[in-house]
Amino acid sequence: MNEVLLRSLTPSVLGILVRRGADFAAAEDAVQDALVEAVRVWPAAPPRDPKGWLVTVAWRRFLDATRADTARRRREDLVDEEPEPGPASAVDDTLQLYFLCAHPSLTQASAVALTLRAVGGLTTRQIARAYLVPEATMAQRISRAKRTVSGIRFDRPGDVSTVLRVLYLVFNEGYSGDVDLAAEAIRLTRQLAAVIDHPEVAGLLALMLLHHARRAARTAPDGSLVPLAEQDRGRWDTGAIAEGIGILQAALARDRLGEFQAQAAIAALHADAPTAGETDWVQIVEWYDELVRLTDSPVVRLNRAVAVGEADGPRAGLAALAALDDAASPGSPGSGHPLPRRTAVAAYLHERDGDLETAARLYADAAHQATNLAERDHLTRQAARLNARRKR
């Protein structure tokens, strides 16, 4: 059974049902039923036209469900509309499905779950395992999301930036359960790039490939985090790096710079450096300046402070960090909410500046603030390492 084929066909089959007049929620249920039937039937009797087979079975499942709760006349109209068996329509509705699943009326969690289900073709159980929640909880989340978007016109123009944000959220979830969400996000972004010509789509795909290329080197055999500067670059995926840089260069040549292209450019500079010491931090700071201009994000400013510390020295980095703190003073937007990793960044810069006592204290504080076990353990080890150095 070719699971990748099934998942790749899911959005186009769903799109065909919706285009024929099926309600989105009912159409999505019918497509899932067809996928289950395909898993049962195809190993013994693979169809000549997999997409056409799925469309036929899903449409009949939709009609069966419709017969149970619609008026006789509407039922007969739908039956009359059933097409003769044959090749499925070549119209690709994947892009509209992306827009629908990333609709602004949905919460981010619901948009991600619906994207994985309707566009990614994952089962509710797979999504639940990926997010480490009960299957019933995920089923309720997906059902609510489907109800929310069911009344929205399928041909309504969508916002590409919202779609990209959802895909980026999927990618950042990484890996858990039995589904590699980082790899799934790359697959979905490739699919999106095939149906829409947009430099930011290419920028996001490049960014994902460049980050994913370092994945094997990010953790030690015992599961502990390995910082970028300490990673074995021989374990990086050079094929993914070359592909990502090629996609990025083509996108940048269009002179329509966006957030994801700028992030990918920074990732490319890291990937280009043969060693950590040869990283072009001056150019990285320049790209962060572009990102600040594009987003004015506190997280971007925090990362810029690290880059400034590498390019111009730790005290310059601390000054950039202080400027960020001033911008987040009481009364400013986002004040009152601690910035993730701010304490860890301060610890790193103080260590670089030789203030081991302050750095050790801040590493310990950062460990208490960490939201995942691997990061907490890494920061705790950093604090212990500096405390041991101070006692020598």
Side-chain angles (χ1 to χ4, degrees):
M1 169 55 56
N2 191 334
E3 182 181 347
V4 174
L5 173 63
L6 280 177
R7 284 159 57 187
S8 68
L9 291 173
T10 296
S12 57
V13 174
L14 177 56
I16 288 170
L17 264 64
V18 174
R19 188 172 292 280
R20 289 180 181 176
D23 171 84
F24 177 85
E28 203 278 330
D29 288 338
V31 171
Q32 289 295 322
D33 287 344
L35 294 174
V36 171
E37 185 69 4
V39 170
R40 187 182 71 83
V41 171
W42 285 12
R48 284 186 179 181
D49 177 12
K51 180 178 176 181
W53 189 97
L54 287 171
V55 170
T56 299
V57 173
W59 184 249
R60 288 175 179 168
R61 292 298 173 92
F62 167 70
L63 293 176
D64 289 343
T66 301
R67 289 187 180 100
D69 57 11
T70 59
R72 180 175 181 275
R73 182 168 183 174
R74 176 58 180 153
R75 180 173 72 239
E76 292 173 350
D77 289 343
L78 287 170
V79 172
D80 289 341
E81 292 168 9
E82 181 171 357
E84 293 296 322
S89 167
V91 175
D92 192 341
D93 294 308
T94 301
L95 182 57
Q96 284 83 357
L97 286 175
Y98 275 98
F99 289 143
L100 199 62
C101 293
H103 193 269
S105 61
L106 296 173
T107 65
Q108 287 189 340
S110 294
V112 169
L114 190 59
T115 298
L116 289 172
R117 165 95 179 212
V119 184
L122 302 186
T123 66
T124 302
R125 177 174 296 180
Q126 286 175 315
I127 301 170
R129 286 178 178 174
Y131 281 90
L132 304 178
V133 300
E135 185 175 350
T137 300
M138 185 56 67
Q140 291 175 351
R141 182 181 298 173
I142 292 172
S143 293
R144 286 194 298 269
K146 289 195 294 185
R147 286 196 299 270
T148 298
V149 301
S150 285
I152 298 170
R153 290 185 59 186
F154 190 63
D155 58 354
R156 177 178 174 178
D159 178 10
V160 176
S161 64
T162 303
V163 175
L164 296 182
R165 187 68 53 196
V166 169
L167 288 173
Y168 193 44
L169 287 170
V170 174
F171 180 78
N172 284 333
E173 290 296 332
Y175 175 83
S176 57
D178 60 354
V179 178
D180 185 339
L181 291 182
E184 182 66 13
I186 291 172
R187 185 183 75 84
L188 293 176
T189 307
R190 285 190 190 279
Q191 191 177 64
L192 181 62
V195 294
I196 183 170
D197 183 20
H198 193 293
E200 273 294 82
V201 177
L204 178 59
L205 179 56
L207 175 64
M208 290 179 175
L209 289 169
L210 290 164
H211 278 312
H212 204 59
R214 304 199 300 260
R215 178 172 178 168
R218 284 199 186 107
T219 54
D222 62 0
S224 60
L225 291 179
V226 180
L228 176 60
E230 300 172 19
Q231 289 176 13
D232 178 0
R233 299 183 179 222
R235 299 183 65 197
W236 289 1
D237 184 342
T238 55
I241 290 171
E243 182 185 5
I245 290 175
I247 292 171
L248 173 63
Q249 288 175 337
L252 291 175
R254 301 175 66 174
D255 199 23
R256 291 168 56 193
L257 183 64
E259 172 187 357
F260 292 115
Q261 294 170 74
Q263 288 192 51
I266 293 169
L269 286 167
H270 284 297
D272 269 343
T275 65
E278 296 173 85
T279 304
D280 189 346
W281 286 107
V282 172
Q283 194 172 168
I284 287 176
V285 171
E286 292 174 355
W287 276 111
Y288 272 122
D289 289 340
E290 289 288 347
L291 263 177
V292 168
R293 181 182 62 80
L294 289 166
T295 69
D296 196 28
S297 161
V299 174
V300 170
R301 291 181 181 275
L302 179 66
N303 291 332
R304 179 185 178 278
V306 176
V308 169
E310 299 289 352
D312 300 327
R315 294 195 178 181
L318 288 167
L321 194 61
L324 175 62
D325 293 338
D326 290 341
S329 59
S332 63
S335 61
H337 300 281
L339 190 60
R341 293 184 55 247
R342 189 263 175 227
T343 307
V345 168
Y348 173 74
L349 291 171
H350 277 289
E351 180 185 357
R352 288 277 319 279
D353 195 38
D355 187 350
L356 302 189
E357 180 179 358
T358 299
R361 174 177 55 78
L362 289 172
Y363 275 130
D365 291 344
H368 288 297
Q369 298 167 4
T371 57
N372 68 73
L373 183 59
E375 186 177 354
R376 185 179 307 129
D377 288 347
H378 171 71
L379 292 167
T380 300
R381 283 193 295 271
Q382 295 296 89
R385 173 179 60 80
L386 293 188
N387 283 327
R389 282 180 57 187
R390 291 172 54 221
K391 293 177 182 178
R392 290 175 188 168

